Amino acid sequence: MLPCNSSHPTFRKCCENTVLRERLTKPLRQQNLPIHADLHRYVVELMGMVVEFIQNLEVKIKMVQAIPKTDSYLSNLNSAITQLLAQGTEVENLYKQVLKRRGHLHTKIKDMSS
Protein backbone atom coordinates (compact mmCIF):
# COMPACT_ATOMS: atom_id res chain seq x y z
CA MET A 1 0.00 0.00 0.00
CA LEU A 2 1.26 3.45 -0.91
CA PRO A 3 1.70 6.13 1.74
CA CYS A 4 -0.82 9.00 2.03
CA ASN A 5 1.52 11.44 0.34
CA SER A 6 1.24 9.40 -2.85
CA SER A 7 0.29 11.35 -5.93
CA HIS A 8 -2.31 8.76 -6.97
CA PRO A 9 -5.78 10.41 -6.83
CA THR A 10 -7.50 7.39 -5.31
CA PHE A 11 -5.11 7.21 -2.38
CA ARG A 12 -5.18 10.96 -1.90
CA LYS A 13 -9.00 10.88 -1.69
CA CYS A 14 -8.85 7.96 0.74
CA CYS A 15 -6.43 9.84 2.99
CA GLU A 16 -8.54 13.00 2.82
CA ASN A 17 -11.60 11.00 3.84
CA THR A 18 -9.71 9.45 6.73
CA VAL A 19 -8.47 12.83 7.96
CA LEU A 20 -11.96 14.29 7.65
CA ARG A 21 -13.49 11.36 9.53
CA GLU A 22 -10.95 11.78 12.34
CA ARG A 23 -11.66 15.52 12.57
CA LEU A 24 -15.41 14.94 12.73
CA THR A 25 -15.21 12.24 15.40
CA LYS A 26 -12.72 14.14 17.53
CA PRO A 27 -14.47 16.20 20.23
CA LEU A 28 -14.20 19.93 19.84
CA ARG A 29 -12.63 22.10 22.50
CA GLN A 30 -15.11 23.83 24.78
CA GLN A 31 -17.83 21.59 23.49
CA ASN A 32 -19.78 21.89 26.73
CA LEU A 33 -20.13 25.53 27.56
CA PRO A 34 -20.84 26.21 31.22
CA ILE A 35 -24.36 27.60 31.63
CA HIS A 36 -25.86 28.53 34.97
CA ALA A 37 -28.71 26.26 36.04
CA ASP A 38 -31.20 29.13 36.18
CA LEU A 39 -30.53 29.83 32.46
CA HIS A 40 -31.13 26.28 31.22
CA ARG A 41 -34.82 26.89 30.49
CA TYR A 42 -33.91 29.91 28.37
CA VAL A 43 -31.44 27.83 26.42
CA VAL A 44 -34.17 25.23 25.79
CA GLU A 45 -36.56 27.99 24.65
CA LEU A 46 -33.86 29.45 22.47
CA MET A 47 -33.22 26.08 20.81
CA GLY A 48 -36.95 25.78 20.06
CA MET A 49 -36.88 29.23 18.52
CA VAL A 50 -33.83 28.29 16.44
CA VAL A 51 -35.58 25.17 15.13
CA GLU A 52 -38.70 27.20 14.29
CA PHE A 53 -36.56 29.83 12.56
CA ILE A 54 -34.83 27.20 10.44
CA GLN A 55 -38.18 25.65 9.48
CA ASN A 56 -39.59 29.05 8.50
CA LEU A 57 -36.43 29.80 6.56
CA GLU A 58 -36.74 26.52 4.65
CA VAL A 59 -40.36 27.33 3.75
CA LYS A 60 -39.39 30.79 2.53
CA ILE A 61 -36.49 29.39 0.51
CA LYS A 62 -38.86 26.93 -1.18
CA MET A 63 -41.25 29.80 -1.94
CA VAL A 64 -38.47 31.86 -3.49
CA GLN A 65 -37.32 28.87 -5.53
CA ALA A 66 -40.88 28.43 -6.83
CA ILE A 67 -41.08 32.01 -8.15
CA PRO A 68 -39.66 31.17 -11.60
CA LYS A 69 -42.32 28.48 -11.96
CA THR A 70 -45.25 30.83 -11.31
CA ASP A 71 -45.32 32.04 -14.93
CA SER A 72 -45.90 28.51 -16.16
CA TYR A 73 -48.49 27.95 -13.38
CA LEU A 74 -50.35 31.11 -14.44
CA SER A 75 -50.31 30.16 -18.11
CA ASN A 76 -51.65 26.71 -17.20
CA LEU A 77 -54.37 28.34 -15.12
CA ASN A 78 -55.30 30.69 -17.95
CA SER A 79 -55.57 27.84 -20.45
CA ALA A 80 -57.67 25.84 -17.97
CA ILE A 81 -60.02 28.81 -17.52
CA THR A 82 -60.31 29.20 -21.29
CA GLN A 83 -61.17 25.52 -21.67
CA LEU A 84 -63.70 25.74 -18.85
CA LEU A 85 -65.41 28.75 -20.44
CA ALA A 86 -65.53 26.98 -23.81
CA GLN A 87 -67.09 23.91 -22.23
CA GLY A 88 -69.59 26.11 -20.35
CA THR A 89 -70.63 27.75 -23.62
CA GLU A 90 -71.02 24.35 -25.24
CA VAL A 91 -73.19 23.11 -22.37
CA GLU A 92 -75.31 26.26 -22.59
CA ASN A 93 -75.86 25.70 -26.33
CA LEU A 94 -76.80 22.08 -25.77
CA TYR A 95 -79.21 23.12 -23.01
CA LYS A 96 -80.89 25.59 -25.38
CA GLN A 97 -81.24 22.86 -28.02
CA VAL A 98 -82.83 20.53 -25.48
CA LEU A 99 -85.28 23.24 -24.43
CA LYS A 100 -86.19 23.92 -28.08
CA ARG A 101 -86.82 20.23 -28.73
CA ARG A 102 -88.89 19.93 -25.57
CA GLY A 103 -90.88 22.97 -26.64
CA HIS A 104 -91.53 21.40 -30.04
CA LEU A 105 -92.59 18.15 -28.36
CA HIS A 106 -94.98 19.99 -26.01
CA THR A 107 -96.53 21.96 -28.88
CA LYS A 108 -96.91 18.74 -30.94
CA ILE A 109 -98.52 16.96 -27.99
CA LYS A 110 -100.90 19.92 -27.44
CA ASP A 111 -101.75 19.93 -31.15
CA MET A 112 -102.49 16.20 -31.11
CA SER A 113 -104.67 16.42 -28.01
CA SER A 114 -106.82 19.28 -29.38
Side-chain angles (χ1 to χ4, degrees), residues 43-55:
V43 171
V44 171
E45 289 178 21
L46 180 64
M47 295 312 291
M49 291 168 62
V50 167
V51 169
E52 184 179 348
F53 172 79
I54 291 172
Q55 289 172 343

Side-chain angles (χ1 to χ4, degrees), residues 29-80:
R29 290 186 206 143
Q30 298 178 353
Q31 185 175 6
N32 299 321
L33 296 174
I35 298 174
H36 293 280
D38 58 337
L39 299 177
H40 283 196
R41 71 175 186 176
Y42 297 113
V43 171
V44 171
E45 289 178 21
L46 180 64
M47 295 312 291
M49 291 168 62
V50 167
V51 169
E52 184 179 348
F53 172 79
I54 291 172
Q55 289 172 343
N56 289 337
L57 185 63
E58 288 174 347
V59 168
K60 287 178 177 36
I61 288 172
K62 287 179 184 176
M63 288 172 53
V64 168
Q65 289 173 342
I67 288 174
K69 299 175 188 174
T70 48
D71 286 337
S72 64
Y73 293 154
L74 287 175
S75 65
N76 289 344
L77 184 62
N78 284 336
S79 65

Side-chain angles (χ1 to χ4, degrees), residues 87-98:
Q87 289 175 354
T89 305
E90 185 178 345
V91 167
E92 184 179 4
N93 290 336
L94 291 173
Y95 178 71
K96 287 178 182 178
Q97 288 177 6
V98 168

